[in-house]
Amino acid sequence: MSNKGKDIVEGSSRSSTTSISTGGGDHKHHQQQVPLSRYESQKRRDWNTFGQYLRNQRPPVALSQCNSNHVLEFLRYLDQFGKTKVHLQGCLFFGQTEPPGPCTCPLKQAWGSLDALIGRLRAAYEENGGLPETNPFASGSIRIYLREVRDSQSKARGIPYKKKKKKRIAIKHNGDTSTLPMQ
């Protein structure tokens, strides 16, 4: 089995650095290394991996020609590197949170990993010059796919998904108290 694309959802402890030029007006420039945050490092690695995936298609796909179907194919491709056991409907362990034994059901990418990946790729697309209105990572079909993955994995593993409620904060304004959602 190939490890191609595996690092995209696992993260890495490798640190990347960016050069920042701090010139003071003369011809001498000082180079300072600033480590990227874990998020920025993952986002860059994910973006590069997705670009490599598009280049490896036959025929290769230019980023400008990329659409939500390419993104969906990429997400399905990543399943081969998954570590989450997803029991099939006919499996004896379907719906059990703690199966008593092994089975032959496939390993897939966990919904949370895919959701975070799409968030990073969505941001990277726009940071690399893509327009928000043409962002293939923000399309409705991607949201539907992620929702279906979440629902099927929660049923297969017997773990219901519960949406977290947003915390609200109270704000006093001229004696009145109102609540606003926290961000």
Side-chain angles (χ1 to χ4, degrees):
M1 179 155 96
S2 168
N3 283 340
K4 221 192 250 183
K6 187 175 180 181
D7 64 339
I8 196 159
V9 291
E10 288 183 0
S12 171
S13 61
R14 287 179 270 159
S15 64
S16 299
T17 55
T18 308
S19 289
I20 296 180
S21 178
T22 54
D26 59 355
H27 292 87
K28 211 175 190 184
H29 289 288
H30 178 262
Q31 294 290 321
Q32 180 182 9
Q33 298 294 318
V34 178
L36 294 175
S37 70
R38 178 183 165 124
Y39 171 79
E40 291 297 328
S41 179
Q42 281 183 315
K43 184 170 57 172
R44 177 180 289 176
R45 190 170 44 253
D46 294 345
W47 182 248
N48 290 338
T49 303
F50 182 71
Q52 186 64 47
Y53 173 81
L54 291 178
R55 287 188 296 276
N56 288 341
Q57 298 305 296
R58 295 292 163 238
V61 178
L63 191 58
S64 60
Q65 302 302 310
C66 173
N67 60 40
S68 60
N69 290 331
H70 297 106
V71 176
L72 290 171
E73 290 168 13
F74 178 65
L75 294 176
R76 290 183 189 108
Y77 159 79
L78 290 176
D79 269 341
Q80 67 185 307
F81 308 111
K83 295 180 180 174
T84 300
K85 178 72 78 168
V86 180
H87 298 289
L88 302 173
Q89 191 79 37
C91 178
L92 293 172
F93 305 138
F94 183 83
Q96 293 187 28
T97 54
E98 299 289 330
C103 67
T104 58
C105 292
L107 293 173
K108 296 190 172 207
Q109 290 294 339
W111 165 77
S113 297
L114 294 177
D115 189 50
L117 169 67
I118 289 299
R120 290 189 300 269
L121 289 172
R122 184 177 181 171
Y125 178 84
E126 293 176 18
E127 288 172 9
N128 285 283
L131 299 173
E133 49 279 357
T134 62
N135 192 331
F137 304 100
S139 78
S141 61
I142 303 301
R143 285 192 299 275
I144 290 168
Y145 176 80
L146 289 174
R147 187 178 324 124
E148 289 171 353
V149 167
R150 182 195 68 202
D151 293 347
S152 70
Q153 287 186 6
S154 67
K155 287 177 188 169
R157 299 174 69 216
I159 304 169
Y161 171 76
K162 293 179 181 135
K163 188 171 185 176
K164 293 179 184 174
K165 302 232 178 197
K166 288 185 178 177
K167 292 182 182 177
R168 300 181 84 73
I169 56 171
I171 295 180
K172 285 189 177 184
H173 182 64
N174 294 336
D176 294 335
T177 302
S178 58
T179 59
L180 296 173
M182 286 180 63
Q183 299 212 4

